[in-house]
Structures are given as C-alpha cells and as structure tokens.
Amino acid sequence: MNLKIKSMVVGASQNNVLFLVDERTDNAVVIDPSFNPSLVMEVVRNQNWVLKQVWLTHGHYDHTAGAAAVCRAFAPELPLAMSQAAYDYAISKPLSIPANLSVGDLPPLGLAVKHGDRLAIDPENGEQVVEVRDVSGHSPGSLLFFVPELESAIVGDAIFRDSIGRTDLPGSDHKLLIKNIREQIFTLPDQTILIPGHGPNTTVGYERANNPYLS
C-alpha cells in the first residue's frame, strides 16, 4: 500500500479532521469529521477519494458533529467505527452543546472497535494497516489509531504537544489517562508522530522528555 495522512482544521475549537488514504486505490477513511461536514465532502470530491468508513477517536461532540452527515451522504451509508463505550457516552450527550452549534445525532454503530483490533481502510477488501489502542481517560472509550507504515498515531484528545486532554469533564479519569499515555502511547517508538485532535503534531520522544504532565 501507499498510505498518507491528510488533515484539515475546522470549527471554533480548531479541530483536526484527518484522512487516511491509500494512494494506490484512492480509498480513504475520515477520522473525527467534526463540524462543517460539507467541507469534508468537498475535500473528498476534489481529491477523487473513495470514502469507505468514518472513524471516531472518542465521543465528544466537537469530534463527532459531522459523522452522521458524512455517513449518510453515501448509499449504502458508510459504516461508523468507534468503541462501544465511546458510542454509548456520545449518545448520552453528557456535555452541554452551545446553541449556535449544529451537532447531529450519531448514526448506528457499524463497527464496535476495541483495543488490539486491526483495521483496514476498506472493510470489505483491504489489508489491516492500523493498530487500535485504548487511551481512555479524557473520555470513556477513547482510542488511538496507529499506522506503523507512516510511523504515526492519530491520538484524539489523549495528548497534545506539551499537554494532555482535559480530565475535568463528565466521564474523565485523570489517573487512567496518565496510565494509558504511559502504557499505550509512550510504548510506541520515539519517532512516532502524534497527531492530536487539536493543535500541532508532536512525537513520542518529545513528549516523553518534555511533557510537564508526565515528568
């Protein structure tokens, strides 16, 4: 395969929306489609990508807002993949959503993903190129998607450059997040690029040496 990760930034919270693409086939998945799903679809059309799935790292509305619209833009509807715990959390609507934001209800969960799973871009006929790891703590059922070929991990809001995900929100667990960062993120190779849900990329090696929450 010839994989690449492309990104775009959307919304007031400056969410990173990610695309994992196989350049040989133009098959792709979108990860955390956030707000402005029409912009997501415009990128897909302009790049001539064949969108196969929607993946979510966790259930906070700023990451899930566009999932239903993207899934339902296709016939048959694209499968939604996330952990069962994150899905249950998301549909419980634990966070107050500002009145000026449009957040659609999630579609049915097409693929309940768990720690240790391997994922393919094309679930019908594809090589399993992504390793799933549980990084719960910021939010129940949070996942990262590690792409060994690209030495990159899409980590949602588990960790940021010089910071970590908030743990003062409903369902958060600070001790669990720190444990999972140490056991699931810091066990990746030092050169692994960490692609967070907001802000710039970083690396495992940099965060292990410099992150003030993990020193």
Side-chain angles (χ1 to χ4, degrees):
M1 302 185 79
N2 187 11
L3 300 177
K4 67 178 179 181
I5 294 173
K6 295 291 187 179
S7 66
M8 61 186 291
V9 179
V10 301
S13 298
Q14 295 289 282
N15 282 70
N16 293 326
V17 177
L18 289 310
F19 302 90
L20 177 61
V21 183
D22 178 1
E23 291 190 299
R24 289 192 312 172
T25 63
D26 285 327
N27 288 339
V29 299
V30 60
I31 301 166
D32 290 356
S34 188
F35 301 105
N36 299 320
S38 60
L39 294 180
V40 172
M41 295 308 303
E42 182 179 346
V43 169
V44 171
R45 287 192 295 268
N46 288 344
Q47 296 293 326
N48 293 313
W49 293 334
V50 182
L51 208 57
K52 292 293 185 177
Q53 300 177 82
V54 175
W55 296 352
L56 298 179
T57 59
H58 64 292
H60 285 154
Y61 67 80
D62 59 318
H63 294 259
T64 70
V70 174
C71 286
R72 292 169 179 157
F74 296 84
E77 189 172 299
L78 294 182
L80 174 70
M82 62 193 302
S83 75
Q84 185 68 58
Y87 184 81
D88 293 343
Y89 177 82
I91 63 175
S92 75
K93 299 182 178 179
L95 303 181
S96 177
I97 300 173
N100 64 322
L101 295 180
S102 176
V103 179
D105 291 335
L106 283 178
L109 182 59
L111 177 62
V113 183
K114 63 184 183 303
H115 178 85
D117 282 353
R118 303 276 176 163
L119 300 179
I121 293 175
D122 181 355
E124 300 293 327
N125 181 29
E127 180 184 349
Q128 295 175 330
V129 294
V130 173
E131 175 189 339
V132 178
R133 295 190 178 197
D134 187 309
V135 289
S136 299
H138 169 67
S139 178
S142 295
L143 303 173
L144 69 75
F145 303 110
F146 175 50
V147 188
E149 180 177 319
L150 299 178
E151 297 185 313
S152 298
I154 296 164
V155 297
D157 287 358
I159 192 168
F160 305 102
R161 184 176 176 87
D162 296 316
S163 190
I164 61 172
R166 289 177 59 180
T167 55
D168 60 341
L169 301 171
S172 297
D173 185 325
H174 184 80
K175 289 183 178 179
L176 179 61
L177 178 59
I178 296 300
K179 177 178 183 289
N180 280 331
I181 290 172
R182 293 191 185 283
E183 295 181 0
Q184 305 304 332
I185 296 178
F186 285 180
T187 54
L188 295 170
D190 276 1
Q191 69 271 22
T192 302
I193 299 167
L194 302 178
I195 307 172
H198 311 267
N201 295 349
T202 184
T203 66
V204 168
Y206 177 88
E207 297 308 320
R208 185 187 290 109
N210 297 286
N211 195 300
Y213 293 90
L214 293 145
S215 58

